[in-house]
Amino acid sequence: MARWDDERMMRREPSAKSASVGVTRTRLAVEEELGWLFREQPTEDFGIDAHMEVVDGEIVKGKLLALQIKSGRSFFQEKGPDGWWFRPHDDHVRYWTNHSLPVVLVMYRPETGQCYWQLINDRTLVETSTGGWKVLVPERQVLNEGARGPLRVAAGDCRDVAGAQARRSTGVSGGGEGNWYRLRMPENVRTQVISTIYRTADEVGWDRLAAHDRTKLLTEWVDDPVVGGVLSPYFPDYGIRVWLKDAPLKEYSRAKEGLGPYARYVTKRYQTPDEIVLAVCGNGWSVESGTLDFGPRRCSATNGRVRRHVFWGEVSEFKNLLYAALDAAREDFLNPIVVLLHRENQSVEHDDDRRAAIAGRAGAELKYLARAETSISE
């Protein structure tokens, strides 16, 4: 009888175990918390892992929802406003929005043992600046008895949820709330508008403006013929402001660090991640390939022999940066560095000792770095 060593035996991938646990936890939430029926799709799926059916007391209602289940820490890396962003593939979006049933995205988080959910429709699908899609899964939307009401409504409301995909494929929206595009914006128009607002943002120091000054400038852009006027054929009135805030202006800070799709539009820039790592770690250190992340800004730095986690952001982000550093240190004990960025004329002495003490107790090294703004040659 043939003998095989351990290296050549079939192995179960960790991702398969995680997916199985996610389906099991979702089944428990549906059957025990909601009291509904759960039917896993055991054959090959194309973006739907299970169905759940509404049960009212002992009456099976015949109202179904399709579930796409994601499991594991990796799906909770990108923080959004009071939740997490999930970025589906185009094929999944096309399949979900053409599905005959309302589709619910469920994300299982091992650290909390909770399943979080979000409906997939034209209100929750957000088109990104690069032409992809993202969906916000709110932390408050736990798959428990509190979800019974809204999910029952969704199951009983079989309205067409393909609006987002229809806008993308036909270039025409229904014009209702949540439908941002009237027509697909041509790339030359996008470039013209972003270049215009970034040039102004660089001149006035957008990232240093008070909230009321930002609001005032945003209103001016909406009313400006070369910004709002150019965008008006592509958006309803409210959509111009929404797009400006959620696309170019949301990316502005990253763009000034040379990151993301809009970096080419800025006329002034801050230090890049490699320059930040060089400044805080010393000569020979750089960002390790493939480790750059943005929620918050972080990377693994290396000098070819040693690795360090580096986290950076504004002084006001200290708590979030420290929490992320603690989470990383718990996994691999790499003695993280937390870098607080400040303007060259900004005093950071207030609470400096307290921050240093807190970082020290957490096992993180705290450093400060002045933001150096340089002009980019045409």
Side-chain angles (χ1 to χ4, degrees), residues 322 326 353-365:
L322 186 61
L326 276 169
D353 291 339
R354 183 182 66 86
R355 284 191 292 263
I358 293 173
R361 288 197 296 271
E365 185 177 355

PDB file of all heavy atoms in Angstrom, residues 322 326 353-365:
ATOM      1  N   LEU A 322      -3.547  54.240  17.454  1.00  0.00           N
ATOM      2  CA  LEU A 322      -3.025  53.401  18.525  1.00  0.00           C
ATOM      3  C   LEU A 322      -3.791  52.080  18.599  1.00  0.00           C
ATOM      4  O   LEU A 322      -3.202  51.013  18.797  1.00  0.00           O
ATOM      5  CB  LEU A 322      -3.116  54.139  19.861  1.00  0.00           C
ATOM      6  CG  LEU A 322      -2.460  53.433  21.052  1.00  0.00           C
ATOM      7  CD1 LEU A 322      -0.971  53.253  20.804  1.00  0.00           C
ATOM      8  CD2 LEU A 322      -2.685  54.212  22.342  1.00  0.00           C
ATOM      9  N   LEU A 326      -2.144  48.448  18.191  1.00  0.00           N
ATOM     10  CA  LEU A 326      -2.305  47.392  19.195  1.00  0.00           C
ATOM     11  C   LEU A 326      -2.810  46.105  18.556  1.00  0.00           C
ATOM     12  O   LEU A 326      -2.365  45.002  18.887  1.00  0.00           O
ATOM     13  CB  LEU A 326      -3.289  47.856  20.273  1.00  0.00           C
ATOM     14  CG  LEU A 326      -2.725  48.698  21.407  1.00  0.00           C
ATOM     15  CD1 LEU A 326      -3.862  49.302  22.225  1.00  0.00           C
ATOM     16  CD2 LEU A 326      -1.812  47.870  22.286  1.00  0.00           C
ATOM     17  N   ASP A 353       2.973  64.513  26.599  1.00  0.00           N
ATOM     18  CA  ASP A 353       3.436  63.539  27.586  1.00  0.00           C
ATOM     19  C   ASP A 353       2.401  62.438  27.803  1.00  0.00           C
ATOM     20  O   ASP A 353       2.751  61.258  27.952  1.00  0.00           O
ATOM     21  CB  ASP A 353       3.742  64.242  28.915  1.00  0.00           C
ATOM     22  CG  ASP A 353       4.956  65.157  28.831  1.00  0.00           C
ATOM     23  OD1 ASP A 353       5.767  64.950  27.902  1.00  0.00           O
ATOM     24  OD2 ASP A 353       5.084  66.063  29.669  1.00  0.00           O
ATOM     25  N   ARG A 354       1.141  62.822  27.826  1.00  0.00           N
ATOM     26  CA  ARG A 354       0.087  61.820  28.030  1.00  0.00           C
ATOM     27  C   ARG A 354       0.041  60.835  26.870  1.00  0.00           C
ATOM     28  O   ARG A 354      -0.063  59.624  27.072  1.00  0.00           O
ATOM     29  CB  ARG A 354      -1.269  62.524  28.169  1.00  0.00           C
ATOM     30  CG  ARG A 354      -2.431  61.574  28.451  1.00  0.00           C
ATOM     31  CD  ARG A 354      -3.740  62.322  28.524  1.00  0.00           C
ATOM     32  NE  ARG A 354      -4.097  62.898  27.230  1.00  0.00           N
ATOM     33  CZ  ARG A 354      -4.750  62.231  26.276  1.00  0.00           C
ATOM     34  NH1 ARG A 354      -5.121  60.979  26.480  1.00  0.00           N
ATOM     35  NH2 ARG A 354      -5.040  62.819  25.135  1.00  0.00           N
ATOM     36  N   ARG A 355       0.121  61.359  25.640  1.00  0.00           N
ATOM     37  CA  ARG A 355       0.114  60.478  24.480  1.00  0.00           C
ATOM     38  C   ARG A 355       1.315  59.538  24.503  1.00  0.00           C
ATOM     39  O   ARG A 355       1.183  58.348  24.182  1.00  0.00           O
ATOM     40  CB  ARG A 355       0.099  61.302  23.186  1.00  0.00           C
ATOM     41  CG  ARG A 355      -1.249  61.924  22.857  1.00  0.00           C
ATOM     42  CD  ARG A 355      -1.266  62.482  21.451  1.00  0.00           C
ATOM     43  NE  ARG A 355      -0.393  63.634  21.311  1.00  0.00           N
ATOM     44  CZ  ARG A 355      -0.788  64.905  21.377  1.00  0.00           C
ATOM     45  NH1 ARG A 355      -2.061  65.187  21.593  1.00  0.00           N
ATOM     46  NH2 ARG A 355       0.076  65.888  21.232  1.00  0.00           N
ATOM     47  N   ALA A 356       2.486  60.073  24.856  1.00  0.00           N
ATOM     48  CA  ALA A 356       3.691  59.245  24.890  1.00  0.00           C
ATOM     49  C   ALA A 356       3.559  58.135  25.934  1.00  0.00           C
ATOM     50  O   ALA A 356       3.978  56.993  25.704  1.00  0.00           O
ATOM     51  CB  ALA A 356       4.912  60.110  25.191  1.00  0.00           C
ATOM     52  N   ALA A 357       2.975  58.465  27.080  1.00  0.00           N
ATOM     53  CA  ALA A 357       2.801  57.469  28.142  1.00  0.00           C
ATOM     54  C   ALA A 357       1.840  56.373  27.711  1.00  0.00           C
ATOM     55  O   ALA A 357       2.073  55.179  27.944  1.00  0.00           O
ATOM     56  CB  ALA A 357       2.305  58.154  29.414  1.00  0.00           C
ATOM     57  N   ILE A 358       0.751  56.774  27.063  1.00  0.00           N
ATOM     58  CA  ILE A 358      -0.235  55.789  26.602  1.00  0.00           C
ATOM     59  C   ILE A 358       0.379  54.881  25.550  1.00  0.00           C
ATOM     60  O   ILE A 358       0.214  53.652  25.583  1.00  0.00           O
ATOM     61  CB  ILE A 358      -1.479  56.499  26.034  1.00  0.00           C
ATOM     62  CG1 ILE A 358      -2.227  57.237  27.154  1.00  0.00           C
ATOM     63  CG2 ILE A 358      -2.407  55.494  25.347  1.00  0.00           C
ATOM     64  CD1 ILE A 358      -3.361  58.109  26.654  1.00  0.00           C
ATOM     65  N   ALA A 359       1.107  55.470  24.599  1.00  0.00           N
ATOM     66  CA  ALA A 359       1.745  54.673  23.553  1.00  0.00           C
ATOM     67  C   ALA A 359       2.765  53.714  24.148  1.00  0.00           C
ATOM     68  O   ALA A 359       2.863  52.552  23.738  1.00  0.00           O
ATOM     69  CB  ALA A 359       2.408  55.590  22.527  1.00  0.00           C
ATOM     70  N   GLY A 360       3.531  54.199  25.142  1.00  0.00           N
ATOM     71  CA  GLY A 360       4.532  53.355  25.784  1.00  0.00           C
ATOM     72  C   GLY A 360       3.914  52.152  26.471  1.00  0.00           C
ATOM     73  O   GLY A 360       4.428  51.028  26.368  1.00  0.00           O
ATOM     74  N   ARG A 361       2.802  52.386  27.177  1.00  0.00           N
ATOM     75  CA  ARG A 361       2.140  51.271  27.860  1.00  0.00           C
ATOM     76  C   ARG A 361       1.585  50.260  26.861  1.00  0.00           C
ATOM     77  O   ARG A 361       1.459  49.074  27.160  1.00  0.00           O
ATOM     78  CB  ARG A 361       1.010  51.790  28.743  1.00  0.00           C
ATOM     79  CG  ARG A 361       1.490  52.514  29.994  1.00  0.00           C
ATOM     80  CD  ARG A 361       0.386  52.633  31.019  1.00  0.00           C
ATOM     81  NE  ARG A 361      -0.718  53.454  30.548  1.00  0.00           N
ATOM     82  CZ  ARG A 361      -0.797  54.761  30.708  1.00  0.00           C
ATOM     83  NH1 ARG A 361       0.188  55.421  31.318  1.00  0.00           N
ATOM     84  NH2 ARG A 361      -1.847  55.441  30.268  1.00  0.00           N
ATOM     85  N   ALA A 362       1.257  50.746  25.676  1.00  0.00           N
ATOM     86  CA  ALA A 362       0.723  49.864  24.641  1.00  0.00           C
ATOM     87  C   ALA A 362       1.823  49.172  23.839  1.00  0.00           C
ATOM     88  O   ALA A 362       1.533  48.366  22.947  1.00  0.00           O
ATOM     89  CB  ALA A 362      -0.174  50.660  23.696  1.00  0.00           C
ATOM     90  N   GLY A 363       3.081  49.500  24.119  1.00  0.00           N
ATOM     91  CA  GLY A 363       4.182  48.877  23.399  1.00  0.00           C
ATOM     92  C   GLY A 363       4.426  49.460  22.032  1.00  0.00           C
ATOM     93  O   GLY A 363       5.056  48.832  21.182  1.00  0.00           O
ATOM     94  N   ALA A 364       3.943  50.687  21.802  1.00  0.00           N
ATOM     95  CA  ALA A 364       4.138  51.340  20.506  1.00  0.00           C
ATOM     96  C   ALA A 364       5.104  52.508  20.669  1.00  0.00           C
ATOM     97  O   ALA A 364       5.137  53.164  21.711  1.00  0.00           O
ATOM     98  CB  ALA A 364       2.804  51.833  19.952  1.00  0.00           C
ATOM     99  N   GLU A 365       5.863  52.761  19.635  1.00  0.00           N
ATOM    100  CA  GLU A 365       6.790  53.892  19.615  1.00  0.00           C
ATOM    101  C   GLU A 365       6.081  55.083  18.970  1.00  0.00           C
ATOM    102  O   GLU A 365       5.558  54.963  17.866  1.00  0.00           O
ATOM    103  CB  GLU A 365       8.045  53.522  18.830  1.00  0.00           C
ATOM    104  CG  GLU A 365       9.118  54.588  18.853  1.00  0.00           C
ATOM    105  CD  GLU A 365      10.380  54.156  18.125  1.00  0.00           C
ATOM    106  OE1 GLU A 365      10.443  52.984  17.678  1.00  0.00           O
ATOM    107  OE2 GLU A 365      11.300  54.988  17.999  1.00  0.00           O
TER     108      GLU A 365
END
